[in-house]
Amino acid sequence: MQSKISYEEALQPKIFQIISKASQELQLESYVIGGFVRDLILERDAKKDIDIVAVGSGIALALKVSELLPNRPKVQIFKNYGTAMLRFEDTEIEFVGARKESYHFDSRNPAVENGTLAEDQNRRDFTINALALSLNQNNFGALSDPFNGLNDLQNKSIKTPLNPDITYSDDPLRMMRAVRFASQLQFKIDEQSLKAIAKNKDRIKIISGERIVEELNKILATDKPSIGFLLLYQTGLLEIILPELTALNEVEEIEGHTHKNNFYHTLEVLDNICSNTDDVWLRWSALLHDIGKAPTKRFNKKQGWTFHGHEFLGGKMAKKIFERLHMPLNHKMKFVQKIVMMSSRPIVLSQDAVTDSAVRRLVFDAGEDVESLMILCEADITTKNAVKFKKYHQNFDLVRQKIVEVEERDHVRNFQAPVSGEEIMALFKLKPSREIGILKEAIKEAILEGEIPNDYEAAYAFMVEKASKLGLKMN
């Protein structure tokens, strides 16, 4: 398997020529290695980052390359790791000296020694990432492929260069990376490698939540994330990382009543939503939207299986997941929590007559995230009954139409009460008190129910009448 253009042609961009010249001046060997080479051969979009390995000092090579570039870009040096990075145009280029590694059982951070190109390729995670192209003037563009990575690219197979049991035990994050590449490239993980991941799954516990989430986000960003999450489930990693999801993989039957498998349903929803959004946090919302169903599952003879309050509990569980995995506890977490908590609202709405008041409340509660909520709810329709599927989506079209009409007329998105608390205090000579809250809530409810329009005059008149009933007197 080879790209339509030769490797030498692919290395014609100026940066490779400069690195080659710098290597020559320093009298050391240099190679472009890893993802750039892999994606070049697969004819995927060019990566915005390039890894260069030098048989010698990667830092010295980076500094020399910067000297030779017209704009002399700043070189970031990471002495502890023996690496350096510079930016050229819109590409980040990382330089590292060839090295060999040895690991301690309690850490994924290896002891590092200088090494040869072959030793550096040995330490790579997968054969498809161990491919290297020479930047040396005597054999510029020559491919080094010691582990038949080309063959594995051809066969769409993910294998480790060395014994997978040792590879994954040494650096357990590689297990997540294997799953991520399987999902990104839609490759299969080699059988021996898959067994080694299952065997070493508990080693993932030494990896920080931040690094795990980084890989989860990359899996979520793929065209079909279910590939990755099924592999995480099959290897036992998902039970350790997100047990709230694996708890959904259970179907019970009582008195002939069964419920759907909410784990596989979730993966179907996740794949569905990917065709309509690239927002990784909305994809997280799809992944977590049903996690409250396992703990709220109940059976009774009248209703069969119920999951009452699963959305509210799911939102609370989502926050705990973010905390446990050291994810951002900012507006991103609040967004996911809100979408999970509201995930059934438009679906319920689409089953009934779509009233203006119900739509007003939906828009009021969802605010600027109402479109994201609708995208999730449309993805959540996984029925295989064509008639039901069509009816749901027709009703969603009605809901969307109502949202536009209500918003244009009533302006309840990011609602602000037409009469402020300060004005109420001034009118009735009140200090901050319960009565002010009662009046503001009454105005809001009257607008949402359509009793009064969302404007100052109507709200003022309503407020005066309500205040009179509470025994309040104006100045």
Side-chain angles (χ1 to χ4, degrees), residues 261-314:
N261 185 307
N262 286 303
F263 175 69
Y264 286 95
H265 164 74
T266 292
L267 296 188
E268 194 172 350
V269 173
L270 179 58
D271 283 349
N272 285 348
I273 207 169
C274 290
S275 59
N276 291 311
T277 182
D278 293 329
D279 183 350
V280 72
W281 302 109
L282 185 49
R283 292 184 180 198
W284 265 106
S285 304
L287 184 69
L288 303 181
H289 83 283
D290 269 351
I291 54 173
K293 282 191 171 179
T296 59
K297 184 171 65 173
R298 303 288 184 273
F299 178 82
N300 66 64
K301 290 185 178 181
K302 284 187 178 179
Q303 295 176 290
W305 291 103
T306 64
F307 306 90
H308 295 312
H310 78 270
E311 306 95 336
F312 177 73
L313 181 59

Side-chain angles (χ1 to χ4, degrees), residues 110-396:
V112 175
E113 299 175 56
N114 292 337
T116 63
L117 172 65
E119 286 169 331
D120 196 88
Q121 288 171 303
N122 283 344
R123 73 176 184 84
R124 298 281 160 173
D125 50 8
F126 308 112
T127 61
I128 60 173
N129 291 336
L131 295 158
L133 291 176
S134 171
L135 298 178
N136 307 304
Q137 293 185 7
N138 63 330
N139 62 346
F140 190 82
L143 178 70
S144 173
D145 178 21
F147 305 110
N148 291 318
L150 274 179
N151 193 52
D152 292 334
L153 285 177
Q154 178 75 52
N155 295 326
K156 298 187 174 183
S157 178
I158 294 172
K159 294 180 183 177
T160 58
L162 305 177
N163 183 333
D165 204 35
I166 296 171
T167 297
Y168 295 130
S169 179
D170 279 350
D171 183 355
L173 188 64
R174 289 168 175 162
M175 298 188 287
M176 296 290 297
R177 285 170 58 81
V179 171
R180 187 244 295 181
F181 282 121
S183 197
Q184 276 182 336
L185 303 174
Q186 299 194 15
F187 279 23
K188 285 191 174 180
I189 299 176
D190 172 69
E191 191 65 32
Q192 188 182 358
S193 208
L194 205 58
K195 288 177 181 175
I197 293 174
K199 179 182 174 183
N200 288 281
K201 64 182 186 296
D202 287 313
R203 293 280 290 147
I204 201 68
K205 293 173 184 176
I206 72 167
I207 302 297
S208 69
E210 292 90 341
R211 298 306 298 270
I212 288 172
V213 168
E214 189 179 336
E215 293 301 325
L216 288 176
N217 284 344
K218 288 176 181 177
I219 293 169
L220 283 167
T222 62
D223 292 338
K224 194 175 181 183
S226 63
I227 294 172
F229 283 96
L230 279 171
L231 285 167
L232 290 175
Y233 175 73
Q234 290 162 8
T235 55
L237 288 169
L238 194 62
E239 176 66 29
I240 298 169
I241 297 166
L242 287 170
E244 296 87 350
L245 274 179
T246 57
L248 298 174
N249 192 17
E250 183 182 75
V251 177
E252 287 187 70
E253 180 176 347
I254 296 180
E255 298 179 8
H257 294 270
T258 59
H259 59 83
K260 67 186 173 189
N261 185 307
N262 286 303
F263 175 69
Y264 286 95
H265 164 74
T266 292
L267 296 188
E268 194 172 350
V269 173
L270 179 58
D271 283 349
N272 285 348
I273 207 169
C274 290
S275 59
N276 291 311
T277 182
D278 293 329
D279 183 350
V280 72
W281 302 109
L282 185 49
R283 292 184 180 198
W284 265 106
S285 304
L287 184 69
L288 303 181
H289 83 283
D290 269 351
I291 54 173
K293 282 191 171 179
T296 59
K297 184 171 65 173
R298 303 288 184 273
F299 178 82
N300 66 64
K301 290 185 178 181
K302 284 187 178 179
Q303 295 176 290
W305 291 103
T306 64
F307 306 90
H308 295 312
H310 78 270
E311 306 95 336
F312 177 73
L313 181 59
K316 293 173 74 173
M317 292 168 70
K319 183 180 180 184
K320 288 181 180 178
I321 288 170
F322 270 60
E323 290 171 341
R324 186 178 74 233
L325 294 177
H326 303 138
M327 295 170 72
L329 301 178
N330 54 16
H331 63 283
K332 294 170 182 174
M333 182 274 290
K334 289 176 182 175
F335 169 80
V336 173
Q337 193 174 33
K338 179 204 279 192
I339 298 295
V340 169
M341 284 183 166
M342 295 189 68
S343 58
S344 295
R345 287 272 294 275
I347 293 176
V348 172
L349 201 59
S350 71
Q351 292 171 328
D352 302 320
V354 185
T355 64
D356 283 5
S357 62
V359 172
R360 269 191 294 271
R361 288 189 178 278
L362 178 71
V363 175
F364 173 79
D365 290 337
E368 290 299 325
D369 300 319
V370 69
E371 176 58 22
S372 294
L373 182 62
M374 292 300 296
I375 290 171
L376 172 60
C377 290
E378 286 169 340
D380 201 7
I381 305 307
T382 59
T383 176
K384 301 303 179 282
N385 182 312
V387 175
K388 282 186 179 179
F389 185 88
K390 184 177 180 182
K391 185 171 174 24
Y392 266 118
H393 282 274
Q394 285 174 338
N395 287 353
F396 277 133

Side-chain angles (χ1 to χ4, degrees), residues 84-126:
M85 191 270 287
L86 61 80
R87 177 174 284 276
F88 176 72
E89 295 176 347
D90 61 346
T91 302
E92 284 188 355
I93 304 158
E94 184 168 338
F95 298 81
V96 62
R99 58 195 186 182
K100 54 183 177 181
E101 300 174 340
S102 57
Y103 288 82
H104 188 274
F105 187 76
D106 293 329
S107 172
R108 66 175 290 264
N109 297 319
V112 175
E113 299 175 56
N114 292 337
T116 63
L117 172 65
E119 286 169 331
D120 196 88
Q121 288 171 303
N122 283 344
R123 73 176 184 84
R124 298 281 160 173
D125 50 8
F126 308 112

